[in-house]
Amino acid sequence: MPARRSKSEKSNAGKQHRRDPYEVLGLSRNSTDQEIKSAYRKMALKYHPDKNANDPVAADMFKEVTFSYNILSDPEKRRQYDTAGFEAVESEGQELELDLSSLGAVNTMFAALFSKLGVPIKTTVSATVLEEALNGVVTICPLLLGHPVSRKVEKQCAHFYSVKITEEEARSGFVFRVQSSDKSKFKLLYFDREENGGLSLALQEDSMKTGRVTSAGMYFLGFPVYRLDQTVNSVALAKDPDAAFFKKLDGFRPCEITELRAGIHVFAIYGDNFFKSVSYTVEALCAAPFTQEKENLRAVETQILSKRVELSKFESEYREVLAQFTEMTSRYAREMQAIDELLKQRNEIHASYTTGPPIKRSSSRNRSRSSSKEIKEDGEVREKKPSLRDRAKKKRWYNLHLKVDKRKPC
């Protein structure tokens, strides 16, 4: 009978069969972030479970592609892997993106419940939407600059828009913004044109709550513009509130595309709710009239980058002081307990210096009864035996001598 392997042996055996993430995605070591995303989306679409039902080989490939992308898409994990391989990467911390359109009703309900409870759940664009775009069978509506449009998109579906910009508008900068007044979740997508006329996903922005609305935007202003990915290590951060604060700006990264050339560009709004549709307002703008806003954005993002550096330094100081504080509070509790124990022993020793029986303490109720009885009896005694002074007063009161002049009439 063959010997059973432990969990650690099984995990080590699994690690030995892992392929290089660059090899899985067909990339070189110096590939850019945009090349990594493009390779992942094409392979994920190829091996997606929706297109390969009941195919275990495709399912394993899809998991391998996703696992490889989760390493290479994170700059820190990619650096760790390039330095020390899989051993430096915590596989348990990898987060998978869920395609809600392929979960089914029951699993979708569970995912929605966990999301309501505060568990961060990363979602991806439906494989059906991406395949239709890649095959060029989607309906694209033209959108004029400066003319907002309000519509409603169904869950896990997308509305496609085309925007035409001139050379002058491209030099001045271009902004594409979407807002949802009912605070629905959605994704803003930007597509590249393929040689066959199809569309491949190039950029993606998840909606964020900003005041009373949820919004997302893409800014092509000719200089590096940053985006904040709040889903970076979201599961790990949810377990540690301090880490959630210090790592809050880790997802602040530069956008892959900073400017657009003149021509026609395609965007899409994808409904990312679990069950309901998304009401939204979309608007495309030329940034020429917003010169001051461009300068303000550049200045604020520079300050955020400086603050990110400060946070990394402050975290080490905070952790050190927090460890000292924790040690001091633990010592405080131990010292307090030791002092109370010594005082208790001292009182017991004091009480042992006696040869008489222990004193029985009467209850407060009995003491109150006895005291009231004594007061009552004392009052009765005083009533029965008045003092000499009181008797003298009574005598003087009844023995008053009134002098009456009989000669004066009454």
Side-chain angles (χ1 to χ4, degrees), residues 8 12 41 73 75 86 91 129 163 169 179 202 207 229 233 277 314 332 335 356 363 368-369 372 375 383:
S8 60
N12 292 333
R41 285 163 181 158
S73 62
F86 286 112
S91 60
V129 173
V163 182
E169 291 167 343
Q179 288 187 345
S207 61
D229 185 1
N233 297 327
S277 57
F314 175 53
Y332 176 89
E335 295 292 343
S363 63
S368 62
R369 285 182 179 180
S372 62
I375 294 172
E383 289 177 2

Side-chain angles (χ1 to χ4, degrees), residues 221-337:
L221 304 176
F223 57 85
V225 177
Y226 290 78
R227 56 187 292 268
L228 181 59
D229 185 1
Q230 294 184 330
T231 61
V232 174
N233 297 327
S234 55
V235 174
L237 297 181
K239 300 178 181 178
D240 186 357
D242 291 338
F245 167 71
F246 288 109
K247 304 299 182 183
K248 187 173 185 178
L249 299 181
D250 283 5
F252 194 69
R253 300 170 180 174
C255 295
E256 293 85 351
I257 303 176
T258 60
E259 59 183 345
L260 297 180
R261 296 180 179 179
I264 299 177
H265 299 273
V266 179
F267 297 84
I269 293 89
Y270 176 79
D272 203 26
N273 283 333
F274 287 98
F275 298 107
K276 65 178 183 177
S277 57
V278 177
S279 300
Y280 67 89
T281 300
V282 58
E283 184 176 17
L285 298 170
C286 176
F290 302 94
T291 305
Q292 187 61 46
E293 285 77 5
K294 290 167 64 176
E295 295 301 322
N296 293 341
L297 179 62
R298 190 198 296 259
V300 168
E301 291 188 339
T302 301
Q303 294 179 21
I304 294 175
L305 292 174
S306 300
K307 185 62 66 176
R308 184 172 63 179
V309 176
E310 294 176 10
L311 275 181
S312 62
K313 297 179 180 178
F314 175 53
E315 182 179 9
S316 59
E317 299 175 3
Y318 173 82
R319 298 290 184 186
E320 182 179 355
V321 174
L322 181 61
Q324 295 176 357
F325 174 77
T326 304
E327 182 181 356
M328 289 296 103
T329 53
S330 300
R331 180 181 175 184
Y332 176 89
R334 292 194 303 269
E335 295 292 343
M336 178 65 70
Q337 183 178 1

Side-chain angles (χ1 to χ4, degrees), residues 9 29 88 147 174 192 251 270 305-306 312 366:
E9 291 175 344
R29 292 267 173 176
H147 290 75
F174 173 77
D192 281 335
Y270 176 79
L305 292 174
S306 300
S312 62
N366 294 334

